[in-house]
Amino acid sequence: MSEERTFIAIKPDGVQRGLVSQVLARFESRGYKLVGIKVIKPTKDLLHKHYAEHVEKSFFPKLISYMMSGPIVATVWEGKDVILQGRAILGATNPLKSAPGTIRGDFAIDMGRNVCHGSDSVESANREINLWFKKEELIDWESTNAPWIYE
């Protein structure tokens, strides 16, 4: 079994709207293992590093201001193909293009308030996990559910 990890952040709108438990439940019920979680109010420096590829874009200042507007629940999930499947659980970045049954399809309307962020590749997952978590904040543990999830 692949022990791939992904970074999923519940953004300030998701936290403020009380959607944290519903987001966590979608990943848990799918069979993914939570190996890191914390509530954080990110700094401007952290967000600039996280969104480095968007620094020159016109929406960047508004994005940073929004992401600093309240707490974020930062999580790391582990399991087979969790990056691709995590993106499927979240739905399209634009909630109006997200299918019902996805987090964004069920809980969001505007792209600027799309509830969650999810890593889009192994490289970005590794970079984002290392930005948001110290190594000692991630827990390696054996799930007793694994034989019921993986063949």
Side-chain angles (χ1 to χ4, degrees):
M1 179 189 77
S2 167
E3 291 298 319
E4 186 175 270
R5 288 183 171 180
T6 194
F7 174 74
I8 302 293
I10 305 169
K11 296 178 180 179
D13 59 311
V15 175
Q16 291 288 344
R17 294 177 56 204
L19 299 174
V20 173
S21 63
Q22 293 187 62
V23 172
L24 298 177
R26 301 273 179 116
F27 283 85
E28 282 187 321
S29 63
R30 182 69 190 260
Y32 290 115
K33 182 171 65 170
L34 184 63
V35 296
I37 186 169
K38 63 181 170 181
V39 178
I40 182 172
K41 192 152 189 226
T43 64
K44 187 181 279 189
D45 183 56
L46 174 60
L47 293 169
H48 273 257
K49 290 175 184 171
H50 180 86
Y51 289 113
E53 70 274 15
H54 300 305
V55 170
E56 299 299 323
K57 297 182 180 165
S58 62
F59 63 81
F60 185 75
K62 189 175 176 182
L63 172 64
I64 297 302
S65 176
Y66 157 66
M67 291 295 285
M68 291 179 65
S69 70
I72 289 172
V73 176
T75 66
V76 178
W77 295 90
E78 184 178 278
K80 185 176 182 180
D81 210 19
V82 71
I83 295 169
L84 181 62
Q85 295 307 314
R87 303 272 302 170
I89 291 166
L90 295 181
T93 303
N94 182 344
L96 295 178
K97 294 181 180 177
S98 289
T102 65
I103 290 167
R104 292 173 177 147
D106 289 349
F107 301 121
I109 296 172
D110 280 337
M111 201 150 83
R113 300 292 183 268
N114 66 1
V115 183
C116 294
H117 163 84
S119 301
D120 61 6
S121 68
V122 171
E123 296 76 24
S124 68
N126 291 334
R127 183 180 67 79
E128 292 168 357
I129 291 167
N130 289 327
L131 276 174
W132 291 81
F133 286 88
K134 296 174 187 165
K135 186 178 180 180
E136 61 270 14
E137 293 176 311
L138 301 175
I139 308 299
D140 288 317
W141 61 283
E142 199 62 41
S143 171
T144 58
N145 285 334
W148 304 109
I149 297 168
Y150 299 104
E151 350 181 50

